[in-house]
Amino acid sequence: MIRGENKIPKHLPKKLTISFPIWGLYDTGNGTYHDIDKMMREHVERGFNCMRIDDGAGLMHDINGNPRGPVYFGRGFGEFDLKMRQSAASGDPGFCDTRKRLIEIFRSAKKHGMYIILSSWYYLHTYWYVDSALATELEAIKPHDRFLAFAKFLHYILLELEKEGLDSQIAFAEIFNEADGLCFIDGYGHKNKISSEEIARFREDHERAIEWIKERHPHILFAFDSYSYYADHDQIPKNLEVYNFHNYFMWSVYHTSVERDNTLLATPPIPMEAVRASTKPGFPAAEDWYQRVWFYNNISDFERANAQANAYLEEHKDEILKKLKETVDHVRSNLDGALSGLPTVSGEGVSYSGSYHMIFEEYSETFWSIVSEMMKLYRSLGLWGTVVRTCCGPEDPVWYSHPEKLVEMNRIFTSEE
């Protein structure tokens, strides 16, 4: 039984098998996503019926709904992006007609029976890639006005799709990705330590934004997206219609076995100052991203890095499976309690690899056995949809090295057993 099944529109799939080509909307002429029809065909071939992407909110229209025209999409960390997974998938720095691309993506989705989750990573990542003038304009939106502003940006996108008769391919939409981790609110792990009263104000901002856009698009489902399987209930809007949680239960493999070992790095390493200087002046990235980009651009021995990660995974398999089961139990308690009756998906999770050269997962039967167990647990939990893992789209090595594994994992989740 799918939780919240009675709230899912009948034209949508009974289960969503979700990929994560985060920058799929953006192509400057020679990117991974340039051939939209090929991208959709390959999704179907690998057992996917849904993709979750940055929707271009704020980049496609101004606050009054006027089209912006082609928008600049560049590098987040300059040339350092080229070694980072997902980061340079849109192609060389240049301009992208996001409205044209959006319509083409949805037309192809309709042709191939694919559905799209619309989200925005703007204040987390997307601002890295746009030009300074646009970034300055969107940064100037006051924090308490941002939920409604991005609801309006999303509204204009939905109008474009409705005008073309393509809104049927929207699985659901969310105003912001990882809304309970946003740096202008409380940050990840409550690092900003703002007051409970201030958190309540932001939750009310989110609720008003959902109410505003729902009035204008009553046939679309609107989600709350959480960076964790825990979810900060003080930030969850009361009028959400889909609960989207993230579960990075296996990211510890990288943190522990690779990212603390400086003996893997080149001598001398690229200085951190060079990485910091690669972002737009006045628009710094979060500190953990500077560290991640610096580390993976400095690894000189990927063979040993992969071997260490694989050995850690083999040695700690039981601990990781225990962690997975604990996370599922926590989600279950949410769904049996405060979030009861909601369609629920896991829109990101398992692990995040910072480099195209860290490929031990793809070749590890232990890894695939853990993902298989995750799919069975999520199926028994009654989830509407899930990813196989975050690093999973046409820009990722697994897409072509192990397409049969993606098919297998998706079939486990959609099975009726």
Side-chain angles (χ1 to χ4, degrees):
M1 179 179 175
I2 307 300
R3 290 179 185 259
E5 188 171 7
N6 61 321
K7 298 179 181 179
I8 300 169
K10 299 300 182 185
H11 72 280
L12 294 178
K14 183 176 180 181
K15 289 186 177 180
L16 299 175
T17 49
I18 306 166
S19 75
F20 192 59
I22 177 173
W23 307 121
L25 176 62
Y26 306 106
D27 176 76
T28 58
N30 64 343
T32 303
Y33 314 117
H34 181 72
D35 187 334
I36 292 171
D37 208 59
K38 175 176 180 287
M39 177 169 67
M40 291 296 173
R41 289 197 314 272
E42 290 180 349
H43 271 77
V44 174
E45 291 166 359
R46 287 155 180 77
F48 293 100
N49 63 15
C50 185
M51 57 199 301
R52 185 165 175 260
I53 61 173
D54 186 274
D55 57 21
L59 281 66
M60 202 175 300
H61 309 86
D62 68 16
I63 195 63
N64 297 311
N66 301 307
R68 293 191 186 275
V71 65
Y72 180 79
F73 205 78
R75 299 261 190 257
F77 295 89
E79 296 304 300
F80 298 117
D81 276 2
L82 297 174
K83 290 186 177 180
M84 297 299 294
R85 223 152 175 154
Q86 300 177 316
S87 295
S90 60
D92 296 331
F95 285 84
C96 174
D97 188 334
T98 51
R99 181 195 175 278
K100 180 181 178 182
R101 287 273 303 176
L102 180 80
I103 298 301
E104 289 178 352
I105 285 171
F106 270 81
R107 283 178 178 157
S108 185
K110 192 167 188 175
K111 172 183 173 183
H112 292 283
M114 288 285 297
Y115 297 83
I116 313 293
I117 298 169
L118 297 171
S119 187
S120 174
W121 283 258
Y122 184 78
Y123 290 107
L124 292 172
H125 306 303
T126 317
Y127 76 93
W128 298 343
Y129 298 93
V130 302
D131 63 61
S132 294
L134 180 54
T136 298
E137 176 188 329
L138 297 179
E139 184 65 24
I141 300 172
K142 295 178 181 178
H144 279 290
D145 294 335
R146 288 177 179 177
F147 279 106
L148 183 56
F150 272 74
K152 290 180 177 180
F153 292 140
L154 178 56
H155 163 63
Y156 303 139
I157 290 168
L158 296 179
L159 288 178
E160 299 275 9
L161 295 171
E162 290 166 359
K163 183 170 63 177
E164 299 289 335
L166 296 171
D167 50 306
S168 60
Q169 305 312 118
I170 300 171
F172 61 87
E174 47 201 37
I175 296 172
F176 285 124
N177 170 71
E178 298 191 342
D180 54 352
L182 291 167
C183 58
F184 65 84
I185 305 180
D186 209 20
Y188 296 112
H190 305 288
K191 70 177 182 179
N192 294 339
K193 295 180 172 55
I194 66 175
S195 68
S196 58
E197 291 79 11
E198 186 71 355
I199 286 176
R201 281 189 64 199
F202 277 111
R203 189 196 69 242
E204 291 164 2
D205 295 339
H206 199 170
E207 289 169 348
R208 281 192 291 269
I210 291 175
E211 181 181 5
W212 185 92
I213 197 168
K214 186 67 180 177
E215 286 177 355
R216 289 155 178 80
H217 307 276
H219 60 297
I220 303 295
L221 294 175
F222 294 96
F224 169 75
D225 184 276
S226 174
Y227 74 88
S228 168
Y229 57 89
Y230 277 106
D232 182 355
H233 289 269
D234 291 335
Q235 294 194 56
I236 297 177
K238 307 302 182 186
N239 53 351
L240 79 162
E241 297 176 297
V242 176
Y243 171 44
N244 184 355
F245 71 92
H246 300 176
N247 187 8
Y248 285 100
F249 65 90
M250 215 188 85
W251 203 340
S252 60
V253 172
Y254 293 87
H255 292 326
T256 306
S257 68
V258 177
E259 294 172 2
R260 297 175 183 173
D261 186 357
N262 286 352
T263 69
L264 295 167
L265 306 183
T267 306
I270 299 165
M272 176 63 82
E273 290 74 17
V275 177
R276 292 188 186 282
S278 67
T279 53
K280 290 191 298 292
F283 296 93
E287 189 60 35
D288 62 326
W289 276 99
Y290 281 124
Q291 179 64 30
R292 191 169 294 120
V293 172
W294 174 84
F295 190 90
Y296 281 102
N297 269 270
N298 273 307
I299 290 182
S300 63
D301 192 345
F302 276 103
E303 183 176 354
R304 182 157 65 90
N306 276 287
Q308 287 180 191
N310 188 65
Y312 183 94
L313 179 64
E314 295 291 341
E315 183 178 351
H316 296 273
K317 175 185 176 181
D318 290 344
E319 295 171 32
I320 293 166
L321 282 170
K322 181 181 178 183
K323 171 77 170 180
L324 168 62
K325 291 171 183 175
E326 289 172 352
T327 64
V328 170
D329 285 343
H330 196 94
V331 174
R332 181 177 286 107
S333 70
N334 283 332
L335 299 183
D336 289 342
L339 302 178
S340 176
L342 289 172
T344 302
V345 307
S346 180
E348 293 181 32
V350 185
S351 60
Y352 173 76
S353 171
S355 172
Y356 287 112
H357 300 293
M358 286 297 300
I359 55 173
F360 78 95
E361 288 182 2
E362 287 85 337
Y363 296 90
S364 167
E365 286 302 320
T366 296
F367 170 78
W368 291 115
S369 71
I370 292 171
V371 175
S372 173
E373 183 64 19
M374 179 190 79
M375 291 300 195
K376 293 172 185 174
L377 287 167
Y378 283 177
R379 186 180 68 203
S380 67
L381 185 59
L383 295 194
W384 180 27
T386 184
V387 293
V388 175
R389 65 176 189 187
T390 291
C391 296
C392 194
E395 78 289 340
D396 200 81
V398 74
W399 201 251
Y400 296 107
S401 69
H402 291 79
E404 76 287 351
K405 287 294 187 182
L406 301 179
V407 171
E408 180 185 350
M409 296 303 116
N410 284 325
R411 283 180 178 169
I412 292 170
F413 178 67
T414 57
S415 169
E416 297 296 331
E417 293 178 10

